[in-house]
Structure formats: structure tokens, C-alpha cells
Amino acid sequence: MSAAATLGTVLLAYLPAAVSPGPNFVLIAHTAAAGTRRAAVAVALGVVAAGGLLAAVAVFGLGTVLAREPWLATALRVVCGAYLAWLGVRLWLTARAPETAPPHARGSAFRRGVLSNLTNPKAAAFFGSVLTATLPPTEPTAVKAAAVALIVAASAAWHLSVALLFSSPATQRWYAHAKPALNRVVGTVLVVLGIALATTP
């Protein structure tokens, strides 16, 4: 298969995983609607950076460490699940609290985006199985590097679009009215995802 065909296959495999709703989408959209465009963009960039790291780890074979050490994979899964559940509980507890300041400074928002993607079970499943299947280890290093760059570019285009769309004034006005119920829905989703990640082998 030519390099162009391989990269096309990688992109076609990645796009559905990127645009389907999950913890990253929820976090970016919520930050954008509840806070500022700058914070939402920072979260999105954090998600993109973590995605690039996960892609590089998978593509260059470092993920075999987890395959050789099942206990480490289990520990990471439990810690990541607990983090997602904590985010959900925090949203529930602050559902009716007034917004006195933007939810996150840029540095904090970026870190939250990184953690969201690193703890995202959908991302782990894609990079750990689908990507390695569509990009065999026999591919040249240049093709592997191009695949990582392509994933980063596609991720940036999608997640930054979500940040910009949900930080529009109309969306923020709607959120101001729907905040208590919406925060509880989002919080419940995150708790369920966290428990499922921590308890599913």
C-alpha cells in the first residue's frame, strides 16, 4: 500500500472516533458555554496535545509496555476512571453555584484538556487497537510521523471548532438558563463513564 493510501486509511479511521461525542466533547462544550472562549480553546489544545502524545506512543510501539505489564494498565484504568468520576461529582455539587469567574485559567484549562484525553476510554481504544491495526509496524518512520501529524491536524480542526461554536454569545445565553440541569446531566455522564472505565477489564 502506498504512503498516501496508508495515511488516508488512518484519517478515515480517526475521524469517526474524533467527532463522536465523548468526555472530550463534553468538557470542551461545557467550558465554552460556561466560561470564556479563551478557556475553551485552551482545553481543546490540551485535548489535541494529549491526542498527539497517545498517537505517537501507539505508532512507535511504546504501548507494548502496557501489554507486558497488565497491572500497570489496570492501575492506569482505575486512576483515569476515578478522575472522570471526580469531575462528574464536582459538576453535580456546583450545579446551582453562580459563575463568579471564568471556570479555568488558560494553564489550568490546558491541563484539564490533556487529562481528559489521557483518561478517555474511547481514545485509548482507538490508539491502542484501531490505529495500530491501520498503521502496521513495518511502515517507514516518515509515514508513522506523518500519520501522527495528520491526526494532530484533524484533532485540532475538530476540537477548536467545537470550542468556537459553543463559546458564541447565543450558546452562552442559553447555557445561563439551562446551567443547573445541564451540569447535572454532564456530571452524570462523566460519573458513569468513570465507573465504567475503572471497573471494565
Side-chain angles (χ1 to χ4, degrees):
M1 185 182 291
S2 69
T6 298
L7 293 176
T9 301
V10 168
L11 184 60
L12 288 175
Y14 175 70
L15 286 178
V19 303
S20 60
N24 294 334
F25 178 90
V26 169
L27 181 62
I28 294 170
H30 180 267
T31 303
T36 65
R37 176 164 290 180
R38 178 175 294 183
V41 167
V43 171
L45 290 176
V47 168
V48 172
L53 175 62
L54 290 171
V57 166
V59 165
F60 291 103
L62 300 180
T64 54
V65 173
L66 296 181
R68 290 198 306 264
E69 304 290 345
W71 67 269
L72 181 58
T74 299
L76 285 174
R77 192 179 69 246
V78 171
V79 170
C80 292
Y83 174 74
L84 283 179
W86 174 79
L87 284 181
V89 170
R90 190 162 177 254
L91 273 179
W92 256 93
L93 294 177
T94 60
R96 289 190 171 277
E99 299 285 357
T100 55
H104 314 292
R106 276 182 296 177
S108 174
F110 180 84
R111 287 192 298 272
R112 182 156 295 200
V114 169
L115 287 172
S116 174
N117 209 10
L118 291 180
T119 60
N120 183 359
K122 186 180 70 173
F126 172 80
F127 291 116
S129 58
V130 178
L131 180 59
T132 53
T134 57
L135 194 67
T138 53
E139 290 291 340
T141 300
V143 175
K144 293 179 180 179
V148 173
L150 187 62
I151 287 172
V152 169
S155 176
W158 168 247
H159 291 108
L160 288 173
S161 295
V162 172
L164 296 177
L165 174 64
F166 281 84
S167 60
S168 68
T171 303
Q172 291 191 332
R173 284 194 298 270
W174 170 82
Y175 173 82
H177 294 289
K179 177 179 177 285
L182 187 62
N183 277 14
R184 290 189 177 112
V185 170
V186 173
T188 300
V189 169
L190 290 177
V191 169
V192 170
L193 286 172
I195 292 173
L197 176 61
T199 59
T200 303

